Tab-separated table of all heavy atoms in Angstrom:
chain	number	residue	atom	x	y	z
N	66	ARG	N	151.490	-74.020	-155.946
N	66	ARG	CA	152.581	-73.927	-157.017
N	66	ARG	C	152.244	-74.838	-158.179
N	66	ARG	O	151.851	-76.007	-157.976
N	66	ARG	CB	153.890	-74.376	-156.311
N	66	ARG	CG	155.119	-74.072	-157.195
N	66	ARG	CD	156.401	-74.320	-156.443
N	66	ARG	NE	156.590	-75.711	-156.190
N	66	ARG	CZ	157.436	-76.181	-155.205
N	66	ARG	NH1	158.044	-75.381	-154.395
N	66	ARG	NH2	157.558	-77.474	-155.034
N	75	TRP	N	161.696	-66.951	-164.119
N	75	TRP	CA	161.602	-67.269	-162.706
N	75	TRP	C	161.486	-68.815	-162.559
N	75	TRP	O	161.118	-69.482	-163.492
N	75	TRP	CB	160.402	-66.590	-162.083
N	75	TRP	CG	160.425	-65.110	-162.142
N	75	TRP	CD1	159.926	-64.358	-163.129
N	75	TRP	CD2	160.982	-64.236	-161.145
N	75	TRP	NE1	160.141	-63.048	-162.877
N	75	TRP	CE2	160.809	-62.911	-161.672
N	75	TRP	CE3	161.587	-64.376	-159.936
N	75	TRP	CZ2	161.144	-61.840	-160.956
N	75	TRP	CZ3	162.001	-63.263	-159.226
N	75	TRP	CH2	161.822	-62.009	-159.766
N	76	LYS	N	161.825	-69.338	-161.359
N	76	LYS	CA	161.813	-70.774	-161.147
N	76	LYS	C	160.421	-71.394	-161.026
N	76	LYS	O	160.168	-72.475	-161.485
N	76	LYS	CB	162.652	-71.103	-159.811
N	76	LYS	CG	164.124	-70.906	-160.067
N	76	LYS	CD	164.848	-71.348	-158.734
N	76	LYS	CE	166.340	-71.141	-158.886
N	76	LYS	NZ	167.064	-71.539	-157.592
N	77	TYR	N	159.513	-70.608	-160.353
N	77	TYR	CA	158.216	-71.208	-159.986
N	77	TYR	C	157.035	-70.264	-160.413
N	77	TYR	O	157.210	-69.014	-160.484
N	77	TYR	CB	158.124	-71.442	-158.483
N	77	TYR	CG	159.260	-72.245	-157.911
N	77	TYR	CD1	160.294	-71.629	-157.152
N	77	TYR	CD2	159.375	-73.610	-158.199
N	77	TYR	CE1	161.317	-72.403	-156.631
N	77	TYR	CE2	160.461	-74.347	-157.701
N	77	TYR	CZ	161.397	-73.697	-156.926
N	77	TYR	OH	162.414	-74.429	-156.401
N	78	ALA	N	155.869	-70.823	-160.612
N	78	ALA	CA	154.706	-70.135	-160.897
N	78	ALA	C	153.620	-70.591	-159.856
N	78	ALA	O	153.518	-71.767	-159.607
N	78	ALA	CB	154.213	-70.319	-162.302
N	79	PHE	N	152.826	-69.659	-159.392
N	79	PHE	CA	151.777	-69.882	-158.454
N	79	PHE	C	150.478	-69.277	-158.917
N	79	PHE	O	150.480	-68.228	-159.549
N	79	PHE	CB	152.103	-69.281	-157.080
N	79	PHE	CG	153.294	-69.868	-156.410
N	79	PHE	CD1	154.597	-69.382	-156.739
N	79	PHE	CD2	153.245	-70.841	-155.439
N	79	PHE	CE1	155.726	-69.912	-156.138
N	79	PHE	CE2	154.309	-71.321	-154.747
N	79	PHE	CZ	155.593	-70.879	-155.149
N	93	SER	N	154.531	-62.857	-149.753
N	93	SER	CA	155.660	-63.154	-148.827
N	93	SER	C	156.066	-64.565	-148.931
N	93	SER	O	155.268	-65.467	-149.220
N	93	SER	CB	155.182	-62.785	-147.361
N	93	SER	OG	156.227	-63.157	-146.492
N	94	ASP	N	157.354	-64.792	-148.650
N	94	ASP	CA	157.836	-66.225	-148.514
N	94	ASP	C	157.892	-66.613	-147.062
N	94	ASP	O	158.486	-67.684	-146.784
N	94	ASP	CB	159.266	-66.243	-149.157
N	94	ASP	CG	160.225	-65.320	-148.527
N	94	ASP	OD1	159.837	-64.469	-147.704
N	94	ASP	OD2	161.433	-65.431	-148.878
N	103	PHE	N	158.367	-57.989	-149.330
N	103	PHE	CA	158.977	-59.021	-150.256
N	103	PHE	C	158.600	-58.633	-151.683
N	103	PHE	O	157.483	-58.356	-152.034
N	103	PHE	CB	158.303	-60.386	-149.963
N	103	PHE	CG	158.726	-61.438	-150.916
N	103	PHE	CD1	160.019	-62.053	-150.741
N	103	PHE	CD2	157.901	-61.931	-151.878
N	103	PHE	CE1	160.409	-63.053	-151.623
N	103	PHE	CE2	158.253	-62.913	-152.733
N	103	PHE	CZ	159.595	-63.487	-152.651
N	105	ALA	N	160.529	-59.932	-154.566
N	105	ALA	CA	161.195	-60.726	-155.580
N	105	ALA	C	160.196	-61.645	-156.263
N	105	ALA	O	160.140	-62.892	-156.184
N	105	ALA	CB	162.266	-61.658	-154.920
N	114	HIS	N	155.047	-65.294	-160.363
N	114	HIS	CA	156.296	-65.877	-160.809
N	114	HIS	C	157.383	-65.387	-159.821
N	114	HIS	O	157.507	-64.250	-159.549
N	114	HIS	CB	156.665	-65.566	-162.162
N	114	HIS	CG	155.675	-66.008	-163.187
N	114	HIS	ND1	155.782	-65.762	-164.525
N	114	HIS	CD2	154.547	-66.810	-163.074
N	114	HIS	CE1	154.816	-66.347	-165.191
N	114	HIS	NE2	153.966	-66.957	-164.354
N	115	THR	N	158.140	-66.373	-159.258
N	115	THR	CA	159.109	-66.074	-158.303
N	115	THR	C	160.115	-67.181	-158.204
N	115	THR	O	159.927	-68.249	-158.732
N	115	THR	CB	158.471	-65.843	-156.902
N	115	THR	OG1	159.458	-65.478	-155.909
N	115	THR	CG2	157.727	-67.088	-156.437
N	116	ASP	N	161.243	-66.926	-157.474
N	116	ASP	CA	162.178	-67.953	-157.213
N	116	ASP	C	161.971	-68.619	-155.839
N	116	ASP	O	162.671	-69.638	-155.504
N	116	ASP	CB	163.638	-67.443	-157.269
N	116	ASP	CG	164.071	-67.057	-158.691
N	116	ASP	OD1	163.432	-67.579	-159.692
N	116	ASP	OD2	165.006	-66.243	-158.894
N	117	ALA	N	161.074	-68.017	-155.032
N	117	ALA	CA	160.748	-68.646	-153.734
N	117	ALA	C	160.011	-69.923	-153.916
N	117	ALA	O	158.958	-69.939	-154.635
N	117	ALA	CB	160.027	-67.642	-152.915
N	118	PRO	N	160.373	-71.048	-153.288
N	118	PRO	CA	159.657	-72.296	-153.463
N	118	PRO	C	158.254	-72.319	-152.799
N	118	PRO	O	157.414	-73.114	-153.128
N	118	PRO	CB	160.595	-73.340	-152.833
N	118	PRO	CG	161.396	-72.537	-151.818
N	118	PRO	CD	161.561	-71.185	-152.467
N	119	ASP	N	158.078	-71.460	-151.806
N	119	ASP	CA	156.801	-71.404	-151.102
N	119	ASP	C	156.372	-69.880	-151.010
N	119	ASP	O	157.164	-69.075	-150.759
N	119	ASP	CB	156.847	-71.970	-149.685
N	119	ASP	CG	157.187	-73.471	-149.730
N	119	ASP	OD1	156.366	-74.252	-150.185
N	119	ASP	OD2	158.311	-73.855	-149.340
N	120	LEU	N	155.087	-69.672	-151.151
N	120	LEU	CA	154.607	-68.307	-151.200
N	120	LEU	C	153.297	-68.181	-150.545
N	120	LEU	O	152.370	-69.084	-150.730
N	120	LEU	CB	154.537	-67.851	-152.671
N	120	LEU	CG	154.737	-66.335	-152.939
N	120	LEU	CD1	156.096	-65.871	-152.496
N	120	LEU	CD2	154.612	-66.063	-154.438
Side-chain angles (χ1 to χ4, degrees):
R66 191 171 70 199
W75 299 89
K76 290 182 180 179
Y77 308 108
F79 297 82
S93 177
D94 57 351
F103 175 77
H114 297 176
T115 181
D116 288 341
D119 297 292
L120 209 58

